[in-house]
């Protein structure tokens, strides 16, 4: 039994006679008759009553006809689904994003636009810091990521800039730093500082430390946070000040303020990153959406 025989059977039922079905297919009538016989042998039951006036279904044939109709419909749907997946119109896309980026209007704009254009693609958003996102991409545990500072020496990764952020001083509202904001980083020497462990995102950590050193600032770290959201909460609790990307203020708790510093001019390019050998078509559709308009505006 094969799908060709099933289609022959459905054509005969639709036309009501073997001769009419042979013309519509088109297929020689003896060949069609032989295919129907092989089908009945495979099923193990007669499916058609044959007479001079045409054919009618047996009881077994009626049940078989219903089931074959569903089967062929499912087969056609399976082909359509496969084509849509190959075109990036359907499937699942695993996207890494830090918690704070999910609150940034430009990123929600990207995700909303992608969802609008490709509603049949399931977007599985995984919350990860930049460093772990890179490792997950390399291990094929993510299809794409939104992060700072992808490694420039990794030829296996590609990236597209989404927009550029800047760093700001974050302090508790009402604190001395909030009431009298310093103009330069060196003024923060001796202040209680909230920071993060280098292992969380080494490249980002090292670039910030180098920027601090150039400005003559050595952080007096009294608390560590695992991510930007935690660090904001520690600032709100009065544990100290910190330096964070300005975009994080979109999700800052009440009682936290930010100020720019004149010598803290390190650019933070936020990147869409993916594997160079990415074969999932939905990844390329996401890239198309990101490249279609300028998120930096």
């Amino acid at each position: 039994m094969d799908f060709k025989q099933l289609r022959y059977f459905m054509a005969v039922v639709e036309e009501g006679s073997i001769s009419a079905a042979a013309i519509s297919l088109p297929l020689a009538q003896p060949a069609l008759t032989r295919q129907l016989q092989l089908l009945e042998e495979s099923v193990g039951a007669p499916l058609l009553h044959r007479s001079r006036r045409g054919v009618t279904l047996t009881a077994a044939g009626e049940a078989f006809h219903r089931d074959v109709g569903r089967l062929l419909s499912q087969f056609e749907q399976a082909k359509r689904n496969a084509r849509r997946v190959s075109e990036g119109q359907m499937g699942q896309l695993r996207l890494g994003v830090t918690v704070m980026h999910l609150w940034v209007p430009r990123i929600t704009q990207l995700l909303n636009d992608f969802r609008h254009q490709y509603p049949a693609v399931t977007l599985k958003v995984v919350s990860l810091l930049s460093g772990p996102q890179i490792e997950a991409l390399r291990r094929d545990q993510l299809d794409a990521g939104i992060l700072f500072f992808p490694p420039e020496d990794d030829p296996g990764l590609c990236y597209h800039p989404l927009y550029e952020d800047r760093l700001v001083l974050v302090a508790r509202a009402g604190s001395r730093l909030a009431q009298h904001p310093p103009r330069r980083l060196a003024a923060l020497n001796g202040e209680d500082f909230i920071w993060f462990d280098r292992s969380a995102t080494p490249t980002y950590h090292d670039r910030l430390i180098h920027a601090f050193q150039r400005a003559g600032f050595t952080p007096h770290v009294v608390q560590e946070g695992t991510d930007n959201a935690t660090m904001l909460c520690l600032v709100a609790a009065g544990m100290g000040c910190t330096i964070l990307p300005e975009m994080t203020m979109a999700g800052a708790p009440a009682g936290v303020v930010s100020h720019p510093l004149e010598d803290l001019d390190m650019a933070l390019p936020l990147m869409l990153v993916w594997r160079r050998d990415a074969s999932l078509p939905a990844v390329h559709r996401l890239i198309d959406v990101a490249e279609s308009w300028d998120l930096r505006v």
Side-chain angles (χ1 to χ4, degrees):
M1 185 189 304
D2 57 30
F3 276 93
K4 179 174 63 177
Q5 291 176 342
L6 297 180
R7 290 195 174 95
Y8 291 165
F9 170 75
M10 297 298 284
V12 169
V13 174
E14 181 178 343
E15 295 292 340
S17 76
I18 295 176
S19 59
I23 295 172
S24 67
L25 281 171
L27 183 67
Q29 185 170 334
L32 177 57
T33 299
R34 178 57 180 160
Q35 290 298 318
L36 292 173
Q37 291 172 343
L38 291 173
L39 177 62
E40 289 177 318
E41 291 174 5
S42 178
V43 172
L47 302 175
L48 299 168
H49 290 300
R50 296 161 176 83
S51 69
R52 292 180 180 178
R53 291 180 296 178
V55 296
T56 57
L57 290 168
T58 65
E62 289 179 356
F64 190 70
H65 180 260
R66 288 193 300 271
D67 291 340
V68 168
R70 287 193 293 267
L71 177 62
L72 291 178
S73 177
Q74 291 170 355
F75 178 58
E76 292 302 317
Q77 184 62 51
K79 291 196 297 183
R80 287 193 294 270
N81 289 347
R83 286 194 295 268
R84 294 183 71 190
V85 169
S86 72
E87 296 166 357
Q89 301 282 343
M90 190 176 181
Q92 183 186 78
L93 176 64
R94 302 165 299 174
L95 178 66
V97 187
T98 69
V99 173
M100 303 305 294
H101 288 152
L102 289 173
W103 299 337
V104 176
R106 291 180 180 88
I107 302 307
T108 57
Q109 181 185 0
L110 171 64
L111 302 185
N112 288 338
D113 199 19
F114 178 79
R115 180 65 175 168
H116 176 74
Q117 294 188 40
Y118 304 100
V121 176
T122 300
L123 195 59
K124 182 179 180 182
V125 177
V126 182
S127 177
L128 285 174
L129 295 175
S130 296
Q133 280 192 56
I134 292 296
E135 292 306 312
L137 283 166
R138 288 169 172 162
R139 295 171 183 168
D140 199 26
Q141 296 170 339
L142 287 178
D143 301 307
I146 294 177
L147 53 95
F148 289 127
F149 301 121
E152 298 177 354
D153 58 349
D154 189 338
L157 297 177
C158 297
Y159 50 87
H160 172 74
L162 296 178
Y163 81 101
E164 196 169 274
D165 202 4
R166 65 172 182 172
L167 292 164
V168 292
L169 167 66
V170 181
R172 182 173 59 86
S175 66
R176 183 177 57 82
L177 289 176
Q179 293 175 346
H180 304 284
R183 297 176 58 186
R184 306 185 71 83
L185 267 170
L188 298 178
N189 282 312
E191 296 285 347
D192 290 346
F193 198 75
I194 298 166
W195 204 223
F196 60 93
D197 188 86
R198 182 181 182 276
S199 61
T201 174
T203 302
Y204 179 49
H205 178 280
D206 291 350
R207 293 200 181 196
L208 264 67
I209 289 297
H210 291 158
F212 293 168
Q213 291 174 342
R214 288 194 301 269
F217 169 51
T218 302
H220 172 56
V221 179
V222 296
Q223 294 283 340
E224 284 191 350
T226 55
D227 52 42
N228 290 343
T230 302
M231 294 165 68
L232 281 170
C233 290
L234 291 173
V235 172
M239 298 294 182
C241 64
T242 191
I243 299 293
L244 289 174
E246 189 174 31
M247 77 173 104
T248 61
M249 298 304 295
V256 172
V257 296
S258 65
H259 300 279
L261 294 169
E262 292 178 0
D263 55 350
L264 189 58
D265 56 358
M266 186 181 79
L268 296 177
L270 188 66
M271 301 288 190
L272 175 65
V273 184
W274 64 95
R275 289 170 58 103
R276 186 176 298 277
D277 61 358
S279 59
L280 184 67
V283 172
H284 300 284
R285 301 293 78 77
L286 178 63
I287 298 167
D288 292 342
V289 173
E291 292 179 343
S292 66
W293 35 269
D294 190 353
L295 288 169
R296 291 168 290 183
V297 177

